[in-house]
Structures are given as C-alpha cells and as structure tokens.
Amino acid sequence: MSEAPNPAPKLSDPDLRQEAIIAIQASTNAVAVVIVFALFFLISNPEIYAKLKAEIKEFFPQFDGSDAFDGKMVEKLPYLNAVAEESMRLGSPLGSFPRIAPKGGAHVAGQYIPEGTVVGVPAWAQMISEDNFYPHPESFIPERWLPGGLGPDSRCNKNAIMSFSHGTFSHSYWNPAFVH
C-alpha cells in the first residue's frame, strides 16, 4: 500500500484531546436530542406511553433503580426498541449529509453528477418518504417497527434511517441512543 502524496499532519496530544472532547460533546448532544424527541412523542401520545410503561413494568416488576442496568436488557423490550426507532426516525438530530462528487464525476440513479458538485439527501425528507415508511410516514407510530408492521402493505425501511448519518461516514451513536 503506498502512502498518500500529502499525508495529513499528525495531531499533537493537546489537539487529540481537543478532538476527543468535541466528539464526546457532539455524540452526547445528538443522543440528548433523540431523548427529548422521544419524551415529546410519549407525552403527546398517552396511549403509546401507557403501552411502553406496561412493557417496562412487566419486564422489571421489582426494579427500584438500585439494580444494575445494562444495554443488553434493552434488546428484550420490543416496544421500547420500537419507540426508540420511531423517535430517531422523526426526531433526527442531523439535517443532511452532503458529499462531494469525486474526480471524474459520478452517476447517481442514472444521473451524471459533475466532479466537485455537492450532493446530499436531507435526512428528514428520506425518513418521511412514503417510499420508505408507509402508511402515515409523518406520524409517530412505533408499531411500524414491530413484526408485521402496520399491515401487509406497510413499509418500514430501516436502511432509510439517517439519524446519525449513513454509510461510510456513519456515527456509532446509535447504540448509546438506545441504551439511554
């Protein structure tokens, strides 16, 4: 493997510390935004809140907050996961993820994009598109994430979720958002 002609300069220890602080703050903020949206949706939908509360009480009948809690427990709560997925879908903390067409340009969906052109998909537009989420893509309906979804004609395209970016530049904030 050959080295890049102009490798990036090596960061000093103070610079690395500063970059780490920024990354931690950014991920904490993104997770906080999703949690705020989840709380908003739950308060706005008392029937969904009641269903989630019942699932949690059933799973943790004696939980008083003193027991250890780990993220693997979350996997056993399908409705909680559905609420988290739907909150991330409709409460995405990020707007869009622009990319620059590479040298020589690129073809996207049969369309030529000239070299250097900035392209992107607004996350919100993708996550409320009927092509990806149907029916009622603008409504908070956690059941769409459960087996069977919202019926035989429903669509729930998990690959369309861009709450924490997508593809090569995606972030690893997804699991912390679930655990919180």
Side-chain angles (χ1 to χ4, degrees):
M1 191 175 211
S2 64
E3 287 191 32
N6 295 318
K10 190 172 183 172
L11 294 175
S12 66
D13 283 347
D15 288 340
L16 285 171
R17 278 191 289 279
Q18 188 64 33
E19 288 293 320
I21 289 168
I22 291 169
I24 291 167
Q25 288 175 336
S27 66
T28 302
N29 185 55
V31 170
V33 169
V34 171
I35 292 170
V36 167
F37 271 100
L39 292 172
F40 168 78
F41 290 128
L42 289 169
I43 291 168
S44 301
N45 297 279
E47 67 288 343
I48 293 172
Y49 173 75
K51 192 172 183 176
L52 176 60
K53 184 177 175 181
E55 180 185 70
I56 292 170
K57 281 186 169 245
E58 182 180 330
F59 189 78
F60 298 107
Q62 304 298 321
F63 189 74
D64 65 2
S66 63
D67 296 332
F69 179 84
D70 74 48
K72 291 182 182 183
M73 292 174 162
V74 173
E75 296 170 8
K76 298 176 183 173
L77 298 164
Y79 200 68
L80 175 61
N81 281 295
V83 166
E85 292 274 10
E86 193 71 343
S87 297
M88 284 187 268
R89 183 179 76 85
L90 291 176
S92 177
L94 303 173
S96 68
F97 305 99
R99 303 290 188 263
I100 299 172
K103 186 174 184 170
H107 283 86
V108 176
Q111 185 76 23
Y112 176 71
I113 309 295
E115 171 182 331
T117 302
V118 177
V119 295
V121 175
W124 175 254
Q126 179 158 320
M127 294 188 296
I128 62 162
S129 168
E130 287 190 347
D131 292 337
N132 296 316
F133 299 96
Y134 178 86
H136 315 294
E138 293 183 29
S139 298
F140 183 77
I141 310 173
E143 288 77 9
R144 78 175 75 246
W145 297 95
L146 298 175
L150 301 176
D153 295 329
S154 68
R155 282 187 289 278
C156 185
N157 183 0
K158 192 170 191 167
N159 291 324
I161 296 296
M162 297 173 63
S163 298
F164 298 109
S165 192
H166 192 72
T168 306
F169 301 100
S170 67
H171 302 288
S172 59
Y173 311 143
W174 190 263
N175 286 338
F178 265 54
V179 172
H180 281 90

